[in-house]
Structures are given as structure tokens and as C-alpha cells.
Amino acid sequence: MSTENVRAESVDPAESSEAGTPVNTLSIVSAGIAALAVVGLFLAGMAIIAVFAVGAGHVALNQIGQRQERGRALAVSALVIGYGIAALSLVSALIYTLTR
């Protein structure tokens, strides 16, 4: 019968599970505002809400970098949605202006 050697692996705290790290609250808020901006765009034509999603997303990314919190994907998705709505609004305004 052969015995296998059992090695003890050292675990780097940076590589360990992030279960104990809190999620940045502002990243959750920015994702919620981005969802509200999408709903507001299609139901009420209110694209201005996307500005708040972009602002909150940038501040959340800054806080995540400083505090080493989770929520980067939420903040980045809020930025993508916010800038996407802004670009859509700009193109729409230009088309309306130039074809009038």
C-alpha cells in the first residue's frame, strides 16, 4: 500500500475567497439607477437619469479601489448602461436636429 504525501498549501489572503469583503453600497445604488434609467428611457423618455448612474458608477469605482471592496462589475455595468443611454440620446438628438 502506498501513501501519498500531503502538502500544505499556503493561501494568499488576496487570492482567498472574497466572502468576507463587503460589497460597495454605491455600486449597488449605481446599478439600480442604471436599471431605472433603462426603464425611464423606454417608458417615459427620460434619459437624464443615466447621468446619475454614470456619476455614481465613477464614485463607486473610486471607492472600490480605495477600500478594496467588491462590486466592480456592478459599477462597470452601470457605467456601460449610462454611457450607452447617453450616446443613444446624443445620436437621437443629432438625427432629430439634422433632419428637421
Side-chain angles (χ1 to χ4, degrees):
M1 180 178 263
S2 69
T3 59
E4 295 180 18
N5 291 337
V6 178
R7 329 182 281 163
E9 294 183 20
S10 63
V11 178
D12 185 17
E15 295 176 1
S16 66
S17 173
E18 297 179 345
T21 308
V23 177
N24 183 278
T25 305
L26 197 55
S27 68
I28 297 170
V29 170
S30 65
I33 294 172
L36 183 64
V38 170
V39 171
L41 176 68
F42 289 112
L43 294 181
M46 295 176 50
I48 194 69
I49 299 171
V51 172
F52 299 107
V54 169
H58 279 293
V59 174
L61 281 179
N62 188 19
Q63 288 180 354
I64 289 168
Q66 289 178 350
R67 300 176 185 172
Q68 300 300 315
E69 294 177 325
R70 295 183 301 154
R72 181 174 171 77
L74 290 171
V76 170
S77 63
L79 287 172
V80 168
I81 291 169
Y83 279 124
I85 290 173
L88 179 67
S89 299
L90 178 64
V91 169
S92 176
L94 286 174
I95 289 172
Y96 177 76
T97 303
L98 296 176
T99 58
R100 198 158 184 236

